[in-house]
């Protein structure tokens, strides 16, 4: 990819900062907000765009969320990842821009002990469940991935999708909420439409 002079100078500055503070990463473009960086593991070759927000959320004096990036993870601009437990992202994952991934909710809205709307959202108890994204996953623009979701290896998450349930390996999902629309068939070596 070819950059203009201004972008080349910015990238050079960001490369120096990246190597000083995040030596395993390939390039972190600033401004970026990285909260509790000691709980965020950058795999070799990590690259991120501008205005990314990576948050390890501290829920108690003993509990702080972890974000783990595999090798060669590339994320676009304005990606927000928040972990109160753990968000794990595999190797060779590519993310577009404006993506939100979280393993937590403010309050409980199903089952027993649901949160009253009389409680201010910021005062509601945090509920969290790990998120795991497999290897070689491609996540499109404006995707939201919620707590407790596992995305299998080789999946494609369509733009503007909201993923609130786990996705098996080798699937294309899209929609709000996301559903499987195609699966990879090893025998035919092709993506085949999922019947409704």
């Amino acid at each position: 990819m070819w950059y203009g002079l201004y972008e080349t100078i910015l990238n050079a500055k960001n490369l120096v900062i990246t190597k000083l503070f995040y030596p395993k990463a390939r390039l972190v473009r600033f401004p970026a907000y990285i909260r509790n960086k000691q709980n965020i593991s950058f795999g070799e070759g990590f690259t991120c765009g501008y205005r990314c927000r990576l948050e390890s959320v501290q829920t108690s004096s003993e509990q702080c969320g972890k974000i783990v990036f595999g090798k060669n993870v590339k994320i676009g601009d304005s990606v927000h990842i928040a972990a109160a437990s753990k968000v794990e992202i595999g190797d060779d994952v590519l993310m577009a821009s404006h993506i939100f991934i979280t393993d937590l909710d403010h309050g409980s809205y199903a089952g027993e002990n649901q949160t009253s709307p009389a409680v201010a959202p910021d005062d509601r108890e945090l509920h969290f469940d790990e998120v795991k994204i497999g290897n070689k996953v491609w996540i499109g623009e404006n995707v939201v991935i919620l707590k407790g979701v596992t995305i299998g290896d080789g999946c494609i998450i369509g733009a503007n999708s909201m993923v609130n349930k786990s996705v098996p390996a080798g699937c294309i999902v899209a929609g709000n909420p996301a559903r499987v629309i195609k699966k990879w068939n090893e025998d035919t070596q092709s993506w085949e439409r999922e019947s409704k």
Side-chain angles (χ1 to χ4, degrees), residues 12-168:
K13 179 187 100 176
N14 288 328
L15 183 63
V16 170
I17 295 169
T18 299
K19 293 308 174 188
L20 284 173
F21 295 101
Y22 311 102
K24 279 188 175 179
R26 184 174 151 264
L27 179 64
V28 176
R29 290 180 176 91
F30 294 91
Y33 175 72
I34 300 173
R35 181 178 179 191
N36 294 320
K37 75 175 186 174
Q38 69 277 10
N39 297 312
I40 301 173
S41 172
F42 296 96
E44 211 166 300
F46 174 83
T47 304
C48 79
Y50 296 104
R51 297 171 309 282
C52 288
R53 183 173 172 180
L54 309 176
E55 292 185 90
S56 164
V57 178
Q58 188 155 2
T59 55
S60 70
S61 58
E62 301 87 34
Q63 172 74 30
C64 202
K66 295 191 180 341
I67 301 173
V68 179
F69 292 101
K71 291 186 245 173
N72 302 314
V73 173
K74 296 179 179 81
I75 65 178
D77 297 334
S78 302
V79 172
H80 181 184
I81 301 173
S85 178
K86 186 176 184 184
V87 173
E88 186 174 351
I89 298 166
D91 297 338
D92 303 308
V93 171
L94 181 62
M95 296 185 202
S97 298
H98 306 286
I99 292 168
F100 178 54
I101 301 170
T102 186
D103 71 351
L104 65 117
D105 280 335
H106 285 264
S108 175
Y109 306 99
E112 295 181 27
N113 302 318
Q114 294 185 29
T115 305
S116 166
V119 177
D122 201 33
D123 294 333
R124 296 174 188 175
E125 183 181 355
L126 291 179
H127 293 264
F128 38 90
D129 193 3
E130 293 183 6
V131 170
K132 184 170 173 42
I133 297 170
N135 301 318
K136 297 180 176 73
V137 172
W138 160 229
I139 301 172
E141 193 88 3
N142 297 315
V143 166
V144 173
I145 298 172
L146 299 177
K147 72 175 174 121
V149 167
T150 296
I151 296 174
D153 294 345
C155 285
I156 299 169
I157 311 301
N160 301 308
S161 296
M162 189 274 292
V163 185
N164 63 354
K165 292 188 171 96
S166 293
V167 179

